[in-house]
Amino acid sequence: MVRVLLVDDDSMVRLGLATVLGAGRDIEVVGEAADGAEALAAVARLRPDVVLMDIRMPGMDGLAATEALRAVAGGPAVIVLTTFDTDAHILRALRAGASGFLLKDTPPLEIIDAVRRVAAGESMLSPSVVGKLIEHVVRDEDRADRTDRVARARSMLGRLTGREREVAEAVGQGLSNAEISVELFMSVATVKAYVSRLLTKMECANRVQVAILVHDARG
């Protein structure tokens, strides 16, 4: 069973999500929280595998809570919830270690699929979405900050061997382990081993952060 914690200050949103996830026989909603502080306490108590986290909440918001959760080794995967797909806060959450985001009007089956994929360690963001987010934020980003991000990303990619770089680029394209296996002619187990090495070498919490670095490195 995939254990899920729902975090949103709107009780009706939590009810709707609980109803949707209840249709997944392999998914169990183990708890709810109304803000980031409650979420941290609930995670410590309930040990969920995945947290669906609203970004904008009173008190401790979803960004601060996500950063706190992802700063601890072995913490749950986080999917942030938002109303706007160009919200600049989304990219900050992804950089902090969130595994992806969902719009609150996402169809039920896609929500269930997203939870399953994230619980399995897969990415749930297409490269076009990552690119769109980065382009949106860059418009308002300080030029010096952007230069620093590009330099850091290129430095991280520079640590990789040629084969590791190929796998990183494939992850940046949003490919699954099975798709990378076919693309690069290696077994799925080998792909998993490469991805694990990438996360360590590039100091990334998950595949989404690898994809962001790949996009950042392109300048």
Side-chain angles (χ1 to χ4, degrees):
M1 295 292 287
V2 178
R3 296 166 56 81
V4 179
L5 174 70
L6 305 178
V7 186
D8 196 294
D9 60 322
D10 188 331
S11 61
M12 293 305 295
V13 171
R14 298 198 305 270
L15 176 61
L17 288 170
T19 301
V20 166
L21 294 174
R25 295 183 179 180
D26 56 339
I27 298 173
E28 177 185 9
V29 175
V30 296
E32 300 180 9
D35 61 32
E38 286 186 16
L40 297 183
V43 166
R45 185 176 71 255
L46 300 171
R47 298 298 202 187
D49 301 303
V50 177
V51 177
L52 293 185
M53 179 84 74
D54 186 22
I55 288 182
R56 300 174 183 274
M57 296 180 289
M60 177 183 277
D61 64 19
L63 290 174
T66 296
E67 290 169 348
L69 288 176
R70 297 308 304 162
V72 179
V78 177
I79 301 174
V80 292
L81 300 170
T82 182
T83 305
F84 307 106
D85 63 358
T86 55
D87 188 338
H89 292 300
I90 297 171
L91 188 56
R92 179 179 156 194
L94 297 177
R95 290 190 191 281
S99 296
F101 77 91
L102 289 172
L103 297 178
K104 291 187 178 181
D105 60 357
T106 298
L109 289 179
E110 291 184 24
I111 295 175
I112 292 173
D113 180 62
V115 169
R116 287 171 175 159
R117 289 179 62 183
V118 167
E122 292 282 353
S123 167
M124 53 161 290
L125 283 181
S126 69
S128 62
V129 169
V130 174
K132 180 180 179 181
L133 285 171
I134 290 175
E135 288 173 9
H136 176 74
V137 173
V138 164
R139 295 192 195 105
D140 302 317
E141 190 174 43
D142 180 88
R143 184 179 296 275
D145 289 342
R146 178 61 184 163
T147 300
D148 288 344
R149 289 195 189 284
V150 172
R152 177 178 180 275
R154 289 176 177 172
S155 174
M156 290 294 182
L157 288 176
R159 300 178 180 182
L160 308 180
T161 65
R163 197 59 163 167
E164 288 169 346
R165 180 68 177 260
E166 289 178 341
V167 175
E169 292 287 348
V171 170
Q173 293 171 26
L175 301 184
S176 67
N177 288 343
E179 290 168 335
I180 295 173
S181 170
V182 173
E183 182 80 13
L184 298 181
F185 305 102
M186 57 177 69
S187 70
V188 173
T190 300
V191 173
K192 289 180 179 179
Y194 268 104
V195 171
S196 180
R197 287 205 296 273
L198 288 178
L199 296 179
T200 299
K201 279 192 170 185
M202 300 176 73
E203 300 176 14
C204 292
N206 54 41
R207 299 165 75 100
V208 172
Q209 288 189 335
V210 172
I212 290 173
L213 284 175
V214 169
H215 280 270
D216 278 344
R218 294 170 185 163

